[in-house]
Amino acid sequence: SRRRPRISAQSVGLISVQGREFAVDWRIAYTISRASAKTLYLLVDKSLRDEFKIASAAVPIASKSIVQPGEKSIPLSDELAKRYNLYLLNLDHSSLGDVVIDVRYERPIVDKGFDAPLVRPICLGEISEQLAVQAAEESAVKVNVSGAKEIDAVDLPPLPAQAARILWAFRLDAPTTPGGSKTALILNTDVHESYEIPSALAVSARLTTYLDVDGGQRTQAAFSVANV
């Protein structure tokens, strides 16, 4: 009998809050082994409808369409099927190895409290998802999360977009788990009032720099500060 492909997925997302709007970028790497595959599946929060951009630089996506979960596609729990549309991604050609897909959407911030719709890989193999939240200097952001655990930002893989001020980082429970099927992020934003920044003197500092395999870097700094 013909060997069936084995597919696993790793995803990292970045929520960027800027003024009265926010954007979310996702980079999803599917790893295909044992046999080549021409189709992949993606979960997209139903509130997004079709208002997102999707692209793959290495293997072009020939088409995408919403399909019903089940034996002919991917079986989903009732909770997942209620919250997400299941997208079938048809690749331009059969692929083996890593297929990287980038997804992005933008939305206005209507209320101080809002949820960030999720885009998530789905497959029969192992799934790993991480997500970071950044905001402009003038923005204060609080996050209420379920179905995820907070992690140190330095443990994040390379992000799908430039990050300047990461406030939160999370590892999401896999969507195929009971907790992961209910994963949600509620953000509350406010604008810092203008205030005078007091002068300060750093008497010592310890910097730890982490280098990514692709040449990116993150630096964690710990300062001992004395006001003057």
Side-chain angles (χ1 to χ4, degrees):
S1 61
R2 182 186 176 188
R3 300 180 71 185
R4 303 188 64 178
R6 177 181 296 164
I7 302 175
S8 59
Q10 293 185 332
S11 172
V12 59
L14 178 63
I15 300 173
S16 303
V17 179
Q18 179 74 44
R20 300 307 303 168
E21 65 179 13
F22 72 101
V24 187
D25 293 275
W26 304 88
R27 179 154 295 155
I28 303 171
Y30 295 90
T31 300
I32 306 169
S33 59
R34 294 182 60 184
S36 62
K38 195 176 180 180
T39 58
L40 299 170
Y41 292 93
L42 187 69
L43 295 176
V44 179
D45 191 292
K46 289 185 175 180
S47 68
L48 285 175
R49 299 182 293 275
D50 204 28
E51 298 171 0
F52 61 94
K53 299 176 182 178
I54 183 169
S56 175
V59 184
I61 299 172
S63 65
K64 62 179 175 64
S65 59
I66 298 174
V67 296
Q68 292 298 315
E71 293 182 359
K72 293 183 178 180
S73 55
I74 292 282
L76 299 180
S77 66
D78 291 341
E79 182 69 24
L80 285 177
K82 180 174 67 176
R83 296 181 56 195
Y84 297 95
N85 284 323
L86 177 63
Y87 273 84
L88 167 65
L89 307 179
N90 286 302
L91 304 179
D92 183 66
H93 56 267
S94 295
S95 298
L96 189 65
D98 291 338
V99 176
V100 179
I101 291 173
D102 291 316
V103 179
R104 177 182 173 87
Y105 71 82
E106 301 173 1
R107 278 193 160 185
I109 298 176
V110 179
D111 299 310
K112 288 186 176 181
F114 61 95
D115 69 306
L118 300 178
V119 176
R120 314 180 69 182
I122 188 71
C123 57
L124 298 181
E126 184 178 352
I127 299 173
S128 172
E129 298 174 279
Q130 297 178 71
L131 179 62
V133 179
Q134 72 165 344
E137 291 287 346
E138 68 273 11
S139 298
V141 179
K142 295 181 180 179
V143 180
N144 295 318
V145 62
S146 59
K149 299 177 180 63
E150 187 175 354
I151 61 174
D152 196 312
V154 298
D155 294 327
L156 290 165
L159 295 169
Q162 184 176 1
R165 183 174 173 251
I166 295 178
L167 303 178
W168 305 88
F170 302 96
R171 178 175 288 108
L172 310 189
D173 296 342
T176 50
T177 64
S181 67
K182 299 179 181 179
T183 297
L185 278 86
I186 307 297
L187 282 70
N188 286 275
T189 63
D190 207 344
V191 177
H192 290 299
E193 295 183 4
S194 299
Y195 58 90
E196 183 180 353
I197 300 176
S199 299
L201 173 66
V203 295
S204 66
R206 180 176 180 176
L207 282 73
T208 304
T209 299
Y210 300 82
L211 297 177
D212 298 325
V213 293
D214 61 356
Q217 74 173 46
R218 297 187 190 87
T219 298
Q220 184 180 49
F223 294 93
S224 295
V225 177
N227 285 336
V228 294

